Amino acid sequence: MGSVPDRIPVTHVGSLVRPPRLVEFLKLVEAGQPFDGAGYEACLKESIDEVVRQQVEAGVDIVSDGEFSKGRNWAFYIHDRISGISTRDATPEEMKDPMTSAGGGQDMKAFPEFYTEYNRATGLGARLGKRFVVSGPLTYNDASVKRDIATLKSAAGKAKANAAFLPVVAPASALPGAKNDHYPDEKALLFALADCLHQEYQAIVDAGLYVQIDDAFLPYMHERMVPPMSEAQYRQWAQMRIDALNHALRGIPPERSRYHICWGSWNGPHAFDVPLKDIVDLLLQVNVGHYSVEQANPRHEHEWTVWQNIKLPPGKKLIPGVISHATNIVEHPELVAQRLVRLAKIVGRDNVIAGTDCGFAQSPFAKRVHETIMWAKLRSLAEGVRLATTELWDKR
């Protein structure tokens, strides 16, 4: 992916902080209020041109559109592209159910005072209070993705980017806990959803871009389900969604695709995240060529050792997060290099791409770090790659 001679390529997870002028349009779109359509499209294109240029200047080889094209968040944007889905407020009973999109997990129960403040400040609480309903056949409309593809390709060409990717959603994360009022069972619903998502994935790779499948809910649901449910019940739930994702990936060249997981990845305690070692076998079942995993934040950095015991399949690459999205501290380039070198010595220097833990923007309106700090972090990432390259390729 985006190969560069004799060094580790640089990328990130996708979501970047939106500029204020674009945020004003996105607020109107989200609220369903009137807005200047032509002005919005012009602002969107200009913003993507600018953010791609900035990525290249920061040293990023494999760029994205910052997810600026997604009017909603990283996952639920797809509801505007698939018919048959509606949203309503969750009932009090549903708010207590860990299997619905509305229910909270063990982290929220353990730290209620923190989450009361956090949810109010970020708007997360309002999103958790919704329930998705599938009331008719799922049908995909690809008009929006065609626009997204054209805009990113144009911006990447102008900036002379090495390569570009579009992040999209996985079946497990597109309709978490949806109420099924149409399909005969959960499997039928998931595979119908996968058929829709396949069209989006295929359009992206057919256009010469890389497709990234985002799947925060696959790991995150473990802390919501176990307990009260068993480990076996979680794995049964997860396996059905891995199977649906591979159905959506049918015919997609593995070398043109990557799979990103995180543990919900909001900047909170994460005290109950499932260990990577317990789900790495599920991760490696996904038929992609690249696996993007959190390895920088204090809850998951130690898990680089997982790769000492788990062999990366032939032809596959890792995109470890070596920069955190959840702190305003800018990582030192030498720390970035250390993280890359220790992993490269396990899986091979040619099988590592430098990445970030997750997106820098939690939603179109909420950012996890200040925009100026985001760019400093990406520059530090590129500098860390330079230092790691010097060591790994012995360019002294």
Side-chain angles (χ1 to χ4, degrees), residues 228-249:
M229 298 180 187
S230 68
E231 191 72 29
Q233 287 174 306
Y234 165 76
R235 292 189 68 85
Q236 182 180 28
W237 175 93
Q239 187 64 61
M240 186 184 296
R241 283 149 180 82
I242 293 292
D243 294 344
L245 175 54
N246 281 330
H247 180 68
L249 285 164

Side-chain angles (χ1 to χ4, degrees), residues 15-23 46-55 58 65-66 68 323-325 327-328 330 359-362 364-380:
S15 185
L16 300 173
V17 178
R18 280 65 162 173
R21 63 187 185 279
L22 180 59
V23 169
E46 291 170 5
S47 298
I48 292 174
D49 282 348
E50 177 67 8
V51 80
V52 169
R53 181 190 64 78
Q54 289 176 293
Q55 289 171 73
D65 66 352
F68 289 7
I323 289 287
S324 174
H325 64 288
T327 173
N328 281 299
V330 178
F360 289 103
Q362 183 164 323
F365 321 121
K367 52 190 177 184
R368 287 160 167 158
V369 301
H370 192 273
E371 182 178 4
T372 57
I373 295 173
M374 174 182 74
W375 293 116
K377 281 174 169 281
L378 290 175
R379 290 192 296 270
S380 186

Side-chain angles (χ1 to χ4, degrees), residues 114-127 362-363 365-367:
F114 165 78
Y115 279 103
T116 296
E117 294 182 12
Y118 185 81
N119 290 347
R120 183 170 56 245
T122 63
L124 182 61
R127 291 195 295 275
Q362 183 164 323
S363 74
F365 321 121
K367 52 190 177 184

Side-chain angles (χ1 to χ4, degrees), residues 98-332:
M99 296 307 295
T100 72
S101 57
Q106 295 183 68
D107 225 45
M108 291 190 181
K109 294 175 183 176
F111 304 99
E113 298 87 357
F114 165 78
Y115 279 103
T116 296
E117 294 182 12
Y118 185 81
N119 290 347
R120 183 170 56 245
T122 63
L124 182 61
R127 291 195 295 275
L128 289 175
K130 300 297 182 181
R131 184 80 194 273
F132 308 126
V133 180
V134 176
S135 54
L138 299 179
T139 306
Y140 179 73
N141 180 341
D142 66 354
S144 294
V145 77
K146 287 181 178 178
R147 179 205 65 183
D148 298 350
I149 289 168
T151 305
L152 177 56
K153 288 187 70 174
S154 173
K158 292 175 186 175
K160 297 181 171 54
N162 182 276
F165 73 98
L166 269 178
V168 295
V169 67
S173 294
L175 284 173
K179 187 175 187 297
N180 179 12
D181 285 344
H182 178 76
Y183 290 93
D185 53 39
E186 184 178 43
K187 182 176 180 180
L189 167 59
L190 282 169
F191 275 70
L193 175 61
D195 283 334
C196 291
L197 294 173
H198 169 75
Q199 297 176 61
E200 179 146 303
Y201 303 172
Q202 191 71 59
I204 291 168
V205 296
D206 284 351
L209 300 174
Y210 295 94
V211 63
Q212 175 178 292
I213 318 300
D214 289 335
D215 205 3
F217 274 84
L218 193 91
Y220 168 52
M221 283 299 291
H222 186 279
E223 86 137 282
R224 290 171 61 168
M225 294 175 66
V226 185
M229 298 180 187
S230 68
E231 191 72 29
Q233 287 174 306
Y234 165 76
R235 292 189 68 85
Q236 182 180 28
W237 175 93
Q239 187 64 61
M240 186 184 296
R241 283 149 180 82
I242 293 292
D243 294 344
L245 175 54
N246 281 330
H247 180 68
L249 285 164
R250 64 192 186 278
I252 305 294
E255 66 274 14
R256 304 292 299 179
S257 57
R258 61 199 218 183
Y259 181 55
H260 168 70
I261 61 167
C262 64
W263 282 256
S265 208
W266 62 91
N267 42 344
H270 286 277
F272 300 91
D273 287 358
V274 60
L276 177 62
K277 64 181 176 61
D278 292 350
I279 59 170
V280 69
D281 61 319
L282 294 169
L283 171 74
L284 295 178
Q285 284 184 44
V286 179
N287 189 26
V288 295
H290 309 78
Y291 301 101
S292 168
V293 183
E294 291 185 90
Q295 305 260 238
N297 71 63
R299 195 69 197 179
H300 294 284
E301 183 180 1
H302 68 286
E303 292 181 322
W304 66 272
T305 58
V306 166
W307 304 107
Q308 292 177 324
N309 303 313
I310 298 294
K311 187 173 179 59
L312 193 65
K316 307 294 186 178
K317 297 180 186 292
L318 282 181
I319 309 177
V322 290
I323 289 287
S324 174
H325 64 288
T327 173
N328 281 299
I329 297 173
V330 178
E331 291 82 354
H332 197 287

